[in-house]
Amino acid sequence: MKSVLALVLLSASVLTANEPAPEPPAEPKAVPADHAARVKRGTGLFKSEVRGLLVKHCLDCHGGKSVKADFDIATRKSLMESGYVDETAEDSHLMLLLDHSVEPHMPFKAPKLPAKAIAAIGTWIDLGAPYDKPLVERSGDAPKAMVVTDTDREFWSFRPLADVEPPAVEKTEHVRNPVDRFVLARLAEADLASNPEADRRTLIRRVTFDLTGLPPTPERVEAFVHDDDPRAYEKLVDELLESPHFGERWARHWMDVARFAESHGYEQDYDRKHAYHYRDFLVKALNADMPYDQFVRWQLAGDELEPHEPLAWMATGFLGAGAFPTQLTEAEFESARYDELDDVVGTTSTAFLGLTVGCARCHDHKFDPFPAADYYSMASAFTTTIRSEVELPVESDAEFRERLKTWQAKHDALTKELDEYERGPLLAKLKAELARKDRPLRAPSPWTTLLPKTVKSQGGAKLTVQSDGSVLATGAKPANDEYEFVAETPLEGLRSIRLEALTHDSLARKGPGRAGNGNFALSDFRVQVAPIGSEKWTAAKLTNARATHQQNETSLSVASSVDDDPVSGWAVDFGGIGKDQAAVFDFEPAVD
């Protein structure tokens, strides 16, 4: 067999330079000749128009009742230090917010200001944004702390649920319940027509998947299709809601909300052997149609509210469901505890309050009405919560105790049997195997190493065959080179060939390539075969290329080493440098 390999080595260079000397401080900007006139015009515009606009639409949230997004307009000094206003309106971020070019649009959750008003503010900024006097008189320079106002309390997630009148629709033939009116109104708004009504086979599959996550049985499908009862669908829904699989299906959605996992996360990611208790609580709560207020209270303080109820204890798994570092140094204890509290507060707020309060760990929330002080008040409520594992008080459950006793007996018997086998017959077999004189040093491999008879480099590199059959390239290192290896094998019916790119201490970053960064690019890999003793070479077709690692899935993939593009080729950067790599190609057909 004869194989021809072409390697195009990628090179990299690093340019270094001394750090430039610090530039001298910039000269103060000269005051424009018309500065006084501009200030006069700007102050007049501020008094006549801009002050009223800022007070009416901006001040409450930005320097009046609170300071959100670190944007304080109470004084000119605080305005210019905020970073929202530059020397010109064109360069000022405030104008983009007012113009609704970027989010959050300002005024926040209110109609856009009239074009005339926005233009007035822009002109005022171009004139230097002068104030005649502060919008808010303060003692000292400290901005006013954020205060939750009555307007803030109208935030969407704070509002109580309210009855909403279903919209009127013209076409009522598809209206079977109030929800249909909302759907049809939205379709009409988008000028869309309803899809045809689903047939019964489709309908039972949809509702069964929705409510249980499982397909209906063929028998149940047939029964529903041929059920003439006008309430057949309602009975089907009731049946699915009563199924134990309903809780299993919908508990999965809440587990996503509660960041549930059966391991601790981080690099160790140890198993949580008792995490399933919280999962089981969710399943049981949903199947029992537990009232939502009880569902919430038990997850936050079930062990305190119902100390004799095992299900309430299981519910508190909500508090400890987040990621937790199980290996800590003494210096990390305090920060890890604060991170744990932050996780509990953040998850509680998103799950139950419709808020993302995590931002308030460092400052007053920029968008939601949540001061940092309230964040820490909320966090303090959880400071007595300790992560622990306890035996659930289920002594009153006679059936459970009997099942546990049976399980424990089987578990102990199997554990004893396993221990006796490991200490007896298994250990004896291991010692006998280690004592064998004819024991092979390694397991047999389906691969056979091809030992090169000749090796050549067209670019002048020195190729040296090593004792293990690998070839080490040293010496000349042109940008492009072509290696040719000739080897013989008595084997027939060869199905695949494996090309190994191995690391070596002589290579940059141990290779496996010769480029300055340890990479390589195999742009063209070809195999030619001939009977031993013959010079009639024929090209073997290579297919199904795969590799231990490839730089990308396109031009630097292993498949690109057997395409018709002379530029593309297999490379291994971004995770493959400094590691042995291998590529496998199949022969089509097999080589005899």
Side-chain angles (χ1 to χ4, degrees), residues 43 68 72 74 112 145 217 222 238 244 260 377 431 434 500 507 526 570:
T43 304
K68 296 182 178 178
D72 185 0
K112 181 179 176 180
T217 64
E222 292 302 319
D238 289 340
F260 173 82
S377 295
K431 290 180 177 179
L434 294 174
E500 296 183 344
L507 302 173
R526 302 178 186 177
W570 176 40

Side-chain angles (χ1 to χ4, degrees), residues 487-516:
E488 290 185 356
T489 177
L491 299 176
E492 297 179 348
L494 304 180
R495 294 176 299 164
S496 305
I497 185 169
R498 183 172 70 190
L499 176 65
E500 296 183 344
L502 306 178
T503 56
H504 195 272
D505 289 338
S506 66
L507 302 173
R509 300 174 64 187
K510 292 191 175 183
R514 300 191 70 199

Side-chain angles (χ1 to χ4, degrees), residues 179-196:
V179 176
D180 290 336
R181 293 185 177 275
F182 289 97
V183 175
L184 292 171
R186 184 67 184 88
L187 289 174
E189 181 182 333
D191 196 23
L192 295 174
S194 302
N195 284 335

Side-chain angles (χ1 to χ4, degrees), residues 1 20 32 106 122 124 202 242 244 316 361-362 490 497 509 522 570:
M1 177 180 293
M106 290 294 158
W124 170 67
T202 302
E242 291 296 325
T316 59
R361 181 177 182 177
C362 300
I497 185 169
R509 300 174 64 187
L522 177 62
W570 176 40

Side-chain angles (χ1 to χ4, degrees), residues 18 29 40 93 147 169-170 195 204 231 252 276 297 352 361 374 385 393 426 445 456 490 527 545 572 576 587:
N18 294 326
K29 294 183 179 179
K40 183 177 181 180
H93 187 66
V147 177
V169 293
E170 294 182 4
N195 284 335
I204 187 174
R231 298 190 70 258
R252 295 179 59 191
Y276 69 90
R297 290 198 305 270
F352 302 121
R361 181 177 182 177
D374 286 1
T385 301
L426 183 60
S445 171
K456 295 179 183 178
V527 176
V572 295
F587 291 119

Side-chain angles (χ1 to χ4, degrees), residues 69-73 77-85:
D70 294 329
F71 182 36
D72 185 0
I73 64 171
K77 181 175 181 291
S78 61
L79 171 77
M80 302 309 293
E81 290 177 350
S82 69
Y84 284 79
V85 173

Side-chain angles (χ1 to χ4, degrees), residues 457-488:
S457 164
Q458 290 193 359
K462 181 181 179 182
L463 302 180
T464 306
V465 180
Q466 307 297 296
S467 59
D468 60 357
S470 62
V471 179
L472 177 64
T474 57
K477 190 167 59 174
N480 299 281
D481 202 350
E482 183 174 309
Y483 299 163
E484 180 180 304
F485 305 95
V486 179
E488 290 185 356

